Amino acid sequence: MDLKGLRYFVHVAGGGSVSAAARDLGIVQPALSRHIQRIEDEAGVQLFSRLPRGMELTAAGREFVEHCRQICQHVALAKTALGTKGSLSGGHLALGIPSSLAAILVPNLVEKVRDRFPKITVTVIEGTNQQLYGDLLAGRLDIAILNSPPASSSVKVVFSTDEKIVLLSSTQRFGAMRFCTLEELVKTPLIATREIRTIVNEQISVRGKVLDVQWEISSIEGIRRLLLAGTGCALAPASTFRDDIAAGQISACPFVDIDLRQTYSLAQLADGVSPSTQAVVGVIESEMKELTTRGTCISIPDSHRVRLRGRQTRSQVRLRREA
């Protein structure tokens, strides 16, 4: 048995589903099933009862999973103990971050970590929420910033904040839209990432609404180029394109009758972290709190904030005609 296999076993035991665990961990289901079968073979007992829907720990499995959790915790403590033998300013870690937050967070983060802990090296990995969550659970990441991660005994959420989602468009083509309603939003053909599409659809489903997403694009830079070219409208937190908004090239339009938000959570494995990782976690938490204090992640310019007056702006009428 190896540590990775034991971590996989603990995760499956926590959720009772191989398919769900495979999605979380970012591996294919047959590979995860082989890990579980190998552990059962080596243990010499059946650890799970296979049910029509999911899996349930046997009596032996319930006893074994507690030992596995302790093993994972002891390994983490051993790593921490070894880390304290040297300088807290040294070490290497991997940080996972969503593309929508990278531009606003990474530059200041790199500068502050370099100044405070010059011997710590950091690998920054951008990815989708599912990829980052799976990599964190599998130990390929030490820290990850996630969008509303599911509750798990394997993951500890250190800090959470949220940011308003706005409607974005090319200022040159559509002008500066001053406001938007939910009804207008669902009638507008959109560009969005899968995460934003899922988050917003969940929030507007209580009103019986669904987005008209015609282009689902994972690349933030790809969406940016489409916006600058005037190719439709997009949904995203305003901070994702804050430089273009400040330059007047992209318009950020708030909603007046619904509060759409995306939640960011700073997460790490619950079974302990190295001193260098903990040091960087502190810097990231401080940066995220500072962004929150400044108006979550970005404040929408005053020129875009007006009260709904029961009529549409010319830019909104043109938006729907040209979209």
Side-chain angles (χ1 to χ4, degrees):
M1 300 180 193
D2 57 29
L3 185 61
K4 180 188 292 185
L6 296 182
R7 281 179 173 165
Y8 287 173
F9 168 72
V10 169
H11 192 70
V12 174
S17 169
V18 172
S19 58
R23 287 194 302 270
D24 292 344
L25 295 166
I27 63 175
V28 295
Q29 185 173 336
L32 182 55
S33 295
R34 286 194 295 271
H35 275 286
I36 300 302
Q37 187 61 57
R38 188 178 303 121
I39 290 173
E40 287 187 318
D41 291 344
E42 292 187 32
V45 294
Q46 185 176 346
L47 301 173
F48 287 104
S49 296
R50 274 67 174 178
L51 306 175
R53 291 186 178 180
M55 303 170 69
E56 186 178 78
L57 286 169
T58 62
R62 287 192 295 272
E63 182 178 350
F64 185 66
V65 75
E66 292 305 318
H67 289 293
C68 290
R69 289 195 178 106
Q70 291 178 26
I71 289 169
C72 292
Q73 290 169 359
H74 284 311
V75 169
L77 289 172
K79 289 181 177 179
T80 300
L82 288 173
T84 58
K85 298 297 183 183
S87 171
L88 289 178
S89 62
H92 177 81
L93 60 99
L95 164 66
I97 188 168
S99 300
S100 59
L101 199 57
I104 190 173
L105 186 61
V106 170
N108 284 343
L109 182 62
V110 168
E111 182 178 351
K112 289 186 177 181
V113 170
R114 183 180 58 192
D115 290 344
R116 297 180 192 178
F117 309 104
K119 294 183 180 180
I120 291 180
T121 58
V122 181
T123 298
V124 178
I125 300 169
E126 292 185 37
T128 65
N129 196 53
Q130 183 177 344
Q131 290 169 341
L132 297 178
Y133 185 63
D135 285 346
L136 180 64
L137 288 173
R140 292 187 288 270
L141 293 175
D142 298 287
I143 321 166
I145 299 175
L146 305 169
N147 298 323
S148 302
S152 170
S153 59
S154 302
V155 172
K156 175 185 177 183
V157 173
V158 179
F159 175 75
S160 292
T161 187
D162 58 26
E163 179 178 15
K164 286 181 179 291
I165 294 171
V166 297
L167 183 65
L168 301 152
S169 66
S170 166
T171 304
Q172 183 176 5
R173 181 173 179 187
F174 297 118
M177 295 183 293
R178 299 181 69 80
F179 58 80
C180 185
T181 66
L182 175 59
E183 193 64 34
E184 290 166 339
L185 171 64
V186 298
K187 292 178 180 178
T188 302
L190 296 168
I191 304 165
T193 63
R194 177 169 297 181
E195 284 84 3
I196 290 294
R197 179 180 195 167
T198 301
I199 290 168
V200 174
N201 272 333
E202 287 178 354
Q203 293 179 40
I204 67 176
S205 63
V206 295
R207 298 201 192 177
K209 304 293 186 182
V210 65
L211 297 176
D212 178 16
V213 177
Q214 296 194 348
W215 289 89
E216 189 177 279
I217 300 175
S218 61
S219 168
I220 295 299
E221 180 60 24
I223 293 175
R224 174 179 177 270
R225 289 182 179 273
L226 288 171
L227 285 172
L228 293 175
T231 308
C233 300
L235 273 181
S239 65
T240 307
F241 305 102
R242 65 171 184 169
D243 292 339
D244 296 302
I245 293 170
Q249 295 180 301
I250 291 178
S251 172
C253 177
F255 301 101
V256 294
D257 58 349
I258 190 168
D259 188 21
L260 301 177
R261 291 181 176 270
Q262 174 168 291
T263 299
Y264 296 112
S265 296
L266 175 60
Q268 62 188 44
L269 289 177
D271 58 1
V273 295
S274 68
S276 58
T277 297
Q278 194 60 50
V280 175
V281 165
V283 178
I284 299 172
E285 181 178 356
S286 175
E287 280 297 292
M288 292 178 72
K289 286 181 178 178
E290 185 176 340
L291 293 173
T292 303
T293 302
R294 293 203 306 252
T296 306
C297 284
I298 187 172
S299 58
I300 299 172
D302 291 338
S303 61
H304 296 294
R305 295 182 182 274
V306 298
R307 219 187 279 177
L308 179 62
R309 304 178 189 276
R311 60 185 176 82
Q312 302 170 15
T313 62
R314 280 184 239 169
S315 59
Q316 286 176 296
V317 174
R318 186 164 65 252
L319 181 152
R320 284 203 298 277
R321 285 178 182 166
E322 297 185 25

